[in-house]
Amino acid sequence: MEYTKTYTVKNEHIDVQEIMDGLYYPFYMEYCRHDYIREVLSFDFEIEAKNGVYMVLSNYSISFLRSLKRGDEFSVTCTLYKDKAGLPKLHFKQSIIFNNKVMTKAVFTGTCVPATGGRPYLPTSVLDKIKDAPVLEEN
């Protein structure tokens, strides 16, 4: 299932070249991904942290294809994939799209860890929600 949110480039995110600074692309992806995790997976970061469960990123790769400009209204997509090897990882393929063109694409990988330390895992509540998710075939 592809999840989508719409945002507008903020003036303070524009650099001296009059394009959005590369630092902000992952932030917009994070906003969308966190909403997906909260709304679709029913994982509330604040509540889970208080219960001793941290969801953290373990890796990401990002490709910048085109630049956004001041005031551009754009969409961020988020699609969840399970791990090919069956590891306790969540893979999120994300894109930033403007005028039907992919501006930036990325894959973010995360897992959960106990707040007290310990091995990565995915809570049963999350496993139940992702059982029908496709498997990420690429690395």
Side-chain angles (χ1 to χ4, degrees), residues 73-93:
E73 184 175 280
F74 59 96
S75 298
V76 180
T77 65
C78 183
T79 304
L80 172 71
Y81 291 83
K82 294 188 288 193
D83 190 71
K84 184 177 183 177
L87 297 172
K89 295 180 179 183
L90 300 171
H91 303 282
F92 300 92
K93 280 181 120 176

Side-chain angles (χ1 to χ4, degrees), residues 20-98:
M20 188 164 82
D21 189 301
L23 170 71
Y24 295 103
Y25 293 79
F27 280 108
Y28 285 107
M29 290 176 163
E30 178 182 69
Y31 303 151
C32 179
R33 189 173 60 257
H34 280 203
D35 284 347
Y36 175 90
I37 291 166
R38 190 173 27 263
E39 294 171 20
V40 177
L41 298 183
S42 302
F43 185 97
D44 184 293
F45 286 92
E46 190 173 338
I47 292 169
E48 295 295 340
K50 288 178 183 173
N51 290 328
V53 180
Y54 293 167
M55 186 177 284
V56 297
L57 284 178
S58 58
N59 188 48
Y60 74 90
S61 64
I62 190 165
S63 297
F64 299 95
L65 308 172
R66 298 173 180 88
S67 297
L68 290 167
K69 297 182 175 136
R70 182 184 320 275
D72 285 349
E73 184 175 280
F74 59 96
S75 298
V76 180
T77 65
C78 183
T79 304
L80 172 71
Y81 291 83
K82 294 188 288 193
D83 190 71
K84 184 177 183 177
L87 297 172
K89 295 180 179 183
L90 300 171
H91 303 282
F92 300 92
K93 280 181 120 176
Q94 295 191 256
S95 295
I96 292 179
I97 300 168
F98 175 69

